Amino acid sequence: MDQFLLDNARAYEKLVGQFKPAAKPQDKKDGGRNTDIIIASRLRPMLEDEIAAGLVPGVLPRKDDDLNVDLHELRKTVRGTPALNSSSFRLDKVFNAEDSTESIFEDLVQSLIPWAWGGGVSTMFAYGQTGSGKTFTVSGLQRLAASSLMDGSLDGSRNISISILELAGNSAFDLLNSRKPVSILEDSFGSTHFAGATEHSVKDLPALLSYIDHAASFRSTASTLKNDASSRSHAICRIRLENPAIPQFEDGLLYLIDLAGSEAARDVVAHSAERMKEAREINASLSVLKDCIRGRAMLDLVETGGKVSVKAKTHIPFRQSTLTKVLKHVFDPAGMRSCRTVVVACVNPSFTDVAASKNTLRFAEMLRVPVPKKDAAAYNPSRPVTWPNDKLQEWIEKNSGSPAISGPLLAPFETGHQLLRIPVPEFVSRCLKTPGVTVDQAQAFQAKFWRLHVDSRSPASSESKDDATEKAEKDYVDSAGISSRDSRPEMANVEFKERIRPGMVVEWKPPYIVTDSIRPLALVLSSVEGSGEGEEKKYTCAQVAPGLMHGSLEVYIWRQVEVRVGAMLKEVLLEYDVGTRYYYETL
């Protein structure tokens, strides 16, 4: 086939020059880039030996269009001259041979850094045929990301740690510890852990770059038909960002992943048995990755208006390979972390490799879920997703408790929809910029804001509510016992120790030592007969402890303690959620 292409290279170029792309119908409905998962491609330049061999480009970006790329295949015909089969692919961004790694970083990866810094999970991975420039691209992006983390431009301070693994088939090795074996395990909460991997703390840029270079020197490479130094494994660089100001929250994670190159069946026929087994394992893991990409795209299609039956039949097999277990946060529809992902499909432009390039671009386009064009929803006071920035800031300052959280500090430019999508640690960190605001108040306000959004999605909440309706609903919540708030109007301005009653929830200081992660809460049941007056008066209380769901609380009525009034620190307002059957802190 290669000889056929070489013999018809000039005819091929002529046919490509006559090609006129037609706009796809769905392009007119495309509303732009999805910020949660961005799909791009990078076409590497033609190499000198390829040009010397008479090869010509077969994958071409369009002029003045950085969203579409065209691929041309030459096919034999029974009679006459060869014909051209052309395919077009639409992505979020197409980088051509003249685009630098720096421009890719600024356009795609730069935004991942503050997202992970704020407590979210950011992932960048590159995939494609062996010899398409993945390692060159990822290594450059790793160094640029390290510089961005350490240049002092990000707000606050973080404890930064790095670990780098190599995945070969179903085996994992620590590239920062002489390739010692590592186990990829999943705990009961669904989090993935690298058991046995070393994690190194870094304080400056030279140290971070030295770990990246050290890991690269230990990575497995071998000569293949397409590449003299092909990466024969997946390399996963994980940078963990711990916020010392709020240690009780999950750390931010930045993944930079260089996938092993895929190979066509005809590329492995000259390999040894060991190399062929290695190629099968690589292609098998990439095949599972592609199935996960397809499944994730189908589920996203349902969320944007696809058929419900698709969702019922869709299965994402992320547990079938070690690679997709590590990337579980990208594919698992039940994941709770705020994630942003960038996929760079690296493409070999030569017309002798258009089959592999077509496969790469096809799955890249399948992963992309375009944002449909639609008019902005009208402002609705009961639906946070419709709030513009000014209405959002106004609501924050009226409903965030005392002291009121500053709207400009929490949401300097975000709309209600954008604020709902930021990571919880970032939300809390912004709240703490307001003087006097505690972590507990910030967390309770975040939960209140999120519950308002969840409630607004029910059909009963679709209509705007006036002040009288909202007051009636609040009075019902208090009178029905769903909230622990004191419903007596005359007690609104009375200090909580002077109005202790059954049903009040308090934070207290126990006589025994508790860790910082445990917040002692108690539900007042009754006063203890014969106890003293004032600060020495005691109350029988039921213990309140965290529930299984994030931010939830449960009352253990059979676990009772006696609490002195003097040990009570403050009142805590809880609200019962009928849907989840848990209590949540409110303001």
Side-chain angles (χ1 to χ4, degrees):
M1 183 65 181
D2 286 355
Q3 189 59 47
F4 165 75
L5 293 174
L6 292 173
D7 293 342
N8 294 276
R10 302 286 77 81
Y12 176 85
E13 288 184 301
K14 183 178 179 180
L15 290 171
V16 170
Q18 297 172 352
F19 171 75
K20 293 183 179 180
K24 295 181 179 180
Q26 59 266 32
D27 291 351
K28 299 179 181 179
K29 302 177 182 180
D30 194 340
R33 178 183 293 184
N34 181 353
T35 57
D36 288 342
I37 180 164
I38 301 174
I39 313 301
S41 67
R42 185 185 197 183
L43 309 183
R44 70 157 172 80
M46 294 287 291
L47 304 179
E48 292 182 1
D49 58 340
E50 293 175 332
I51 298 174
L55 305 186
V56 296
V59 184
L60 302 170
R62 296 183 187 175
K63 293 182 179 179
D64 303 322
D65 184 353
D66 60 359
L67 300 179
N68 291 279
V69 59
D70 299 314
L71 181 145
H72 308 284
E73 298 174 278
L74 195 67
R75 62 179 176 85
K76 296 179 180 180
T77 57
V78 177
R79 296 185 182 88
T81 59
L84 195 69
N85 285 344
S86 298
S87 304
S88 298
F89 302 92
R90 186 176 179 87
L91 306 175
D92 291 315
K93 182 73 174 182
V94 175
F95 295 94
N96 58 40
E98 287 73 35
D99 290 316
S100 64
T101 303
E102 287 76 10
S103 63
I104 297 176
F105 176 79
E106 292 172 1
D107 195 352
L108 301 182
V109 184
Q110 179 73 67
S111 61
L112 297 182
I113 308 300
W115 188 262
W117 190 268
V121 180
S122 297
T123 305
M124 189 287 301
F125 65 86
Y127 77 99
Q129 181 192 18
T130 182
S132 58
K134 297 183 301 301
T135 300
F136 176 84
T137 299
V138 175
S139 60
L141 294 176
Q142 285 177 341
R143 303 183 75 84
L144 292 170
S147 299
S148 182
L149 282 171
M150 295 297 186
D151 63 6
S153 61
L154 298 168
D155 186 31
S157 62
R158 299 292 186 273
N159 298 327
I160 302 177
S161 304
I162 184 173
S163 56
I164 304 180
L165 303 183
E166 177 185 66
L167 300 184
N170 291 321
S171 302
F173 305 94
D174 188 351
L175 294 181
L176 296 179
N177 190 18
S178 303
R179 294 179 53 81
K180 290 190 176 180
V182 173
S183 298
I184 308 296
L185 303 177
E186 185 178 338
D187 62 21
S188 57
F189 296 99
S191 299
T192 302
H193 301 277
F194 302 157
T198 57
E199 191 172 51
H200 301 267
S201 177
V202 293
K203 302 295 183 183
D204 51 39
L205 179 59
L208 185 53
L209 293 178
S210 68
Y211 285 123
I212 293 174
D213 293 338
H214 179 76
S217 67
F218 275 90
R219 191 173 177 196
S220 296
T221 60
S223 176
T224 66
L225 185 64
K226 290 292 180 183
N227 190 359
D228 292 337
S230 175
S231 300
R232 309 309 300 153
S233 60
H234 311 300
I236 300 175
C237 173
R238 185 183 73 172
I239 299 176
R240 185 170 60 85
L241 306 166
E242 178 189 3
N243 188 347
I246 46 174
Q248 62 269 49
F249 288 96
E250 292 181 294
D251 303 329
L253 297 172
L254 174 63
Y255 288 92
L256 301 169
I257 302 174
D258 178 17
L259 298 177
S262 62
E263 295 189 60
R266 63 188 178 92
D267 297 334
V268 302
V269 294
H271 290 174
S272 64
E274 180 182 357
R275 187 70 66 241
M276 292 179 67
K277 178 183 177 182
E278 185 180 76
R280 284 196 300 270
E281 290 177 343
I282 291 172
N283 288 344
S285 65
L286 293 176
S287 178
V288 175
L289 175 64
K290 291 174 183 178
D291 290 339
C292 291
I293 289 173
R294 184 188 292 113
R296 181 72 253 184
M298 292 178 70
L299 286 180
D300 288 338
L301 176 63
V302 173
E303 298 298 326
T304 55
K307 296 181 179 179
V308 178
S309 59
V310 174
K311 188 172 185 178
K313 298 178 181 178
T314 300
H315 171 63
I316 302 178
F318 57 83
R319 291 188 177 90
Q320 288 188 5
S321 79
T322 306
L323 171 63
T324 48
K325 281 183 183 178
V326 174
L327 295 174
K328 177 191 172 191
H329 58 275
V330 179
F331 303 118
D332 187 5
M336 300 298 293
R337 300 292 301 273
S338 299
C339 301
R340 282 190 175 178
T341 304
V342 169
V343 180
V344 180
C346 296
V347 177
N348 181 344
S350 172
F351 75 150
T352 59
D353 289 287
V354 290
S357 300
K358 185 177 183 178
N359 191 50
T360 298
L361 290 170
R362 179 190 294 121
F363 283 100
E365 187 178 53
M366 288 177 63
L367 177 56
R368 179 177 182 266
V369 180
V371 179
K373 286 183 178 179
K374 58 182 179 180
D375 297 331
Y379 168 69
N380 186 329
S382 64
R383 297 191 63 204
V385 293
T386 67
W387 294 352
N389 180 258
D390 57 337
K391 296 294 185 181
L392 174 62
Q393 291 187 8
E394 180 182 343
W395 183 87
I396 289 171
E397 296 184 355
K398 286 183 178 180
N399 296 272
S400 56
S402 180
I405 295 172
S406 169
L409 291 179
L410 176 55
F413 60 86
E414 287 89 354
T415 63
H417 181 262
Q418 292 170 332
L419 189 63
L420 284 165
R421 302 181 75 84
I422 70 171
V424 175
E426 175 66 14
F427 189 105
V428 172
S429 296
R430 293 186 185 184
C431 292
L432 296 179
K433 294 179 180 179
T434 302
V437 174
T438 64
V439 174
D440 295 332
Q441 180 185 351
Q443 191 171 2
F445 179 61
Q446 192 278 334
K448 177 180 181 178
F449 182 50
W450 185 255
R451 288 200 304 276
L452 178 63
H453 165 62
V454 173
D455 293 343
S456 71
R457 299 175 68 179
S458 64
S461 303
S462 59
E463 299 296 330
S464 177
K465 300 175 184 176
D466 55 25
D467 293 340
T469 303
E470 289 187 355
K471 183 178 185 301
E473 288 186 356
K474 178 180 178 300
D475 291 343
Y476 168 75
V477 167
D478 294 340
S479 62
I482 297 176
S483 171
S484 68
R485 190 189 309 272
D486 196 328
S487 59
R488 297 171 294 178
E490 65 273 15
M491 295 296 177
N493 297 317
V494 178
E495 205 271 334
F496 85 95
K497 289 186 178 181
E498 299 178 8
R499 53 179 176 83
I500 298 175
R501 59 179 176 81
M504 175 183 285
V505 179
V506 296
E507 181 178 347
W508 65 295
K509 185 177 181 180
Y512 47 85
I513 299 176
V514 296
T515 63
D516 294 337
S517 60
I518 297 177
R519 187 182 178 201
L521 299 178
L523 171 69
V524 176
L525 299 177
S526 63
S527 60
V528 177
E529 292 187 11
S531 61
E533 298 294 332
E535 295 290 304
E536 294 301 321
K537 188 174 179 61
K538 295 182 180 180
Y539 287 84
T540 300
C541 302
Q543 290 188 348
V544 180
L548 292 177
M549 297 183 65
H550 176 72
S552 66
L553 297 167
E554 287 188 279
V555 177
Y556 294 91
I557 203 72
W558 57 87
R559 294 174 59 181
Q560 298 179 359
V561 292
E562 291 186 355
V563 180
R564 293 185 303 105
V565 174
M568 296 181 182
L569 304 178
K570 62 179 180 181
E571 181 182 12
V572 177
L573 298 179
L574 299 187
E575 187 174 295
Y576 183 70
D577 182 75
V578 179
T580 62
R581 298 184 181 181
Y582 284 111
Y583 293 91
Y584 294 88
E585 187 173 353
T586 187
L587 297 171

